[in-house]
Amino acid sequence: METEERYQKLKEIITIYLPEDVAISELTNESHFINELNINSANLVDIVLDVEDAFDITLENEDMDQMLTVNNALQIIQNKLDAK
């Protein structure tokens, strides 16, 4: 799976959990899930679960702690896919 494909799949997941006051156009690789996208911690857990399902990977607690931005998420996904 190419980087752009992973980004698009992640973007689709994140879009579901964006609050109404955040437009999808505001989503960038540098977007911080909580500070910029206003995603609450409960929804962040849902994103993690959806990412696990979509990419067929398992994320550990330390992975979730490091998943602060879209780029962080993409890097963690890549590392997990590479380790398979």
Side-chain angles (χ1 to χ4, degrees):
M1 181 179 294
E2 296 298 318
T3 304
E4 184 60 29
E5 283 179 274
R6 282 191 306 277
Y7 174 75
Q8 289 303 322
K9 191 181 275 194
L10 180 60
K11 184 177 175 181
E12 289 171 16
I13 293 168
I14 294 169
T15 301
I16 296 167
Y17 299 100
L18 285 177
E20 291 180 13
D21 64 333
V22 178
I24 189 62
S25 60
E26 295 179 42
L27 181 72
T28 69
N29 282 8
E30 300 301 320
S31 295
H32 191 283
F33 287 112
I34 296 170
N35 296 341
E36 294 175 43
L37 299 178
N38 297 331
I39 293 174
N40 66 37
S41 57
N43 283 344
L44 193 53
V45 170
D46 290 334
I47 289 172
V48 167
L49 295 173
D50 288 355
V51 164
E52 287 180 325
D53 290 343
F55 293 97
D56 192 28
I57 58 176
T58 301
L59 297 172
E60 306 301 329
N61 287 340
E62 55 268 14
D63 297 322
M64 291 183 254
D65 292 341
Q66 296 173 10
M67 202 164 76
L68 303 175
T69 67
V70 174
N71 265 343
N72 294 146
L74 289 170
Q75 187 59 55
I76 291 166
I77 292 166
Q78 183 59 52
N79 292 344
K80 293 293 181 176
L81 290 173
D82 288 347
K84 286 179 86 176

